[in-house]
Amino acid sequence: EMIDRRLRRAVEETEYMRRYDYVIVNDDLQTCVQETHAVIQSAHLRVAHNGEFIEELCRDFQKFKK
C-alpha cells in the first residue's frame, strides 16, 4: 500500500516536472545533499539578490569610464 501510494505520487509529480526550475533525484543521500546545496548557492548568486553589491560595483567602476 505504501509503495503504491508513493508511485501514484511520483506519477503526479512527473506531470508538473517541466515547470520545475531544478530536478534533484533523491536516490543517493550524499548526492542529493550536494545538489541541494548547489541550488541554494546558485540562488544566493542571482542578480536579483545582489542589487546593492552591483550598484556599489558600478559606482566604483564609473571612475574608469572614458
Side-chain angles (χ1 to χ4, degrees):
E1 181 182 323
M2 172 75 88
I3 293 171
D4 188 54
R5 188 172 29 168
R6 291 181 74 176
L7 286 172
R8 282 195 313 269
R9 178 69 180 143
V11 169
E12 290 174 17
E13 290 177 1
T14 60
E15 292 175 12
Y16 299 99
M17 195 174 281
R18 287 179 181 81
R19 297 180 184 179
Y20 298 167
D21 291 324
Y22 303 95
V23 176
I24 297 175
V25 178
N26 192 8
D27 282 347
D28 176 75
L29 180 60
Q30 186 62 32
T31 301
C32 183
V33 168
Q34 290 172 347
E35 291 174 347
T36 301
H37 186 272
V39 169
I40 293 168
Q41 289 299 105
S42 70
H44 288 296
L45 298 173
R46 286 181 160 278
V47 168
H49 293 118
N50 288 285
E52 190 174 312
F53 170 73
I54 291 169
E55 290 303 318
E56 181 180 331
L57 196 59
C58 288
R59 281 193 302 275
D60 289 347
F61 277 95
Q62 281 298 310
K63 60 186 169 192
F64 297 108
K65 192 175 181 180
K66 292 183 181 185

